[in-house]
Amino acid sequence: MAGTGDIEHWAPGDQILWRYRRNGTPSGGGVSGGEPDPFHICRPVTVVQDTDELLAVWVAPGTECVKPVLASGRDVHAEPLATRYTAPRTTARSTWLGNGVLKLARSGEPWSVWLFWEPGWQFHNWYVNLEEPHTRWQGGVDSEDHFLDISVYPDRSWVWRDEDEFAMAQRAGLMAPETARRVREAGREAVGLIEEWGAPFRDGWENWRPDPQWRVPALPDDWDRTPSYTPS
């Protein structure tokens, strides 16, 4: 990492971890019934740009990641919604499929914006992932997902996503009422940004392409290590 004033920045091509903490502890905890590890999602990524205003990273196709799964090993979405957030879970390693995704996190914003392409680099859509503002540490950035999302399309139309999961997470005790209100307010702010066609939608990131010399990052054995956080 290169230093700039009191804030350290990564250089393009650096490989870091993009992680999400668990949303509370559902009834039953982990597979053993004990306290689960604090992180349940980890994606090794390559830094595209890192400034005081914006962190942009690339999740390459074929990247080995960590994701939550049911205790049986099945995908969490195989569980009915009514018990999806109370059924025992564990984590599993899996390969990132598809065409890769570019993730943009503006400093202090309670969401990140993801860009998706079809084969042949045909741009498909932006995806606003509502989440805690990222906390930086030496090996990457950490956040907590807030369930509610927004899909945004090239014609500037948009639609809410996962409202049913957002509601169920509250009923399951994974999100306090005050937090849910904050998330809804953040969503409304994001919609305002979309309707104004502000950054990053207006910035041309859909025309970006990864450096062909970049290697696919490896998932380290200590992907879930406890960080020493630095100011973001």
Side-chain angles (χ1 to χ4, degrees):
M1 260 190 317
T4 305
D6 293 330
I7 300 177
E8 292 189 327
H9 296 294
W10 292 287
D14 283 351
Q15 297 179 348
I16 63 173
L17 301 179
W18 180 291
R19 306 191 300 183
Y20 290 98
R21 294 181 295 273
R22 292 178 184 268
N23 303 85
T25 305
S27 177
V31 174
S32 64
E35 188 71 18
D37 293 331
F39 301 101
H40 69 154
I41 295 174
C42 179
R43 295 166 185 156
V45 298
T46 302
V47 174
V48 174
Q49 177 181 311
D50 185 24
T51 67
D52 290 355
E53 293 78 29
L54 177 72
L55 173 64
V57 303
W58 170 242
V59 185
T63 300
E64 186 180 27
C65 303
V66 173
K67 68 176 184 178
V69 295
L70 299 172
S72 64
R74 295 185 304 153
D75 186 273
V76 295
H77 289 93
E79 183 73 17
L81 181 62
T83 53
R84 188 171 299 166
Y85 296 116
T86 55
R89 294 187 181 192
T90 184
T91 56
R93 294 185 176 220
S94 65
T95 300
W96 186 275
L97 303 176
N99 301 293
V101 58
L102 178 68
K103 297 187 175 190
L104 309 174
R106 292 173 60 85
S107 180
E109 282 186 342
W111 62 76
S112 58
V113 178
W114 306 358
L115 284 79
F116 292 91
W117 288 265
E118 301 288 355
W121 287 102
Q122 178 66 39
F123 182 66
H124 187 266
N125 72 291
W126 296 267
Y127 188 82
V128 179
N129 196 74
L130 292 162
E131 59 193 31
E132 287 290 333
H134 287 188
T135 306
R136 300 169 68 100
W137 57 287
Q138 185 177 18
V141 291
D142 293 343
S143 182
E144 183 174 302
D145 184 75
H146 282 159
F147 302 99
L148 191 62
D149 307 296
I150 308 168
S151 288
V152 186
Y153 298 99
D155 65 0
R156 303 193 182 186
S157 64
W158 59 270
V159 62
W160 292 106
R161 295 292 185 192
D162 303 324
E163 290 187 283
D164 56 346
E165 294 192 348
F166 179 63
M168 183 55 66
Q170 294 172 65
R171 289 196 288 271
L174 297 183
M175 182 175 291
E178 179 56 35
T179 302
R181 285 192 289 271
R182 279 195 299 109
V183 174
R184 271 293 183 190
E185 178 59 30
R188 287 190 288 269
E189 291 177 8
V191 166
L193 184 67
I194 295 163
E195 293 181 339
E196 294 170 1
W197 211 242
F201 306 102
R202 68 187 181 199
D203 293 340
W205 282 103
E206 63 272 23
N207 301 313
W208 173 87
R209 300 293 183 266
D211 187 328
Q213 296 185 354
W214 284 346
R215 295 177 295 105
V216 175
L219 178 68
D221 290 337
D222 61 347
W223 62 268
D224 57 350
R225 62 192 180 272
T226 301
S228 176
Y229 290 124
T230 57
S232 57

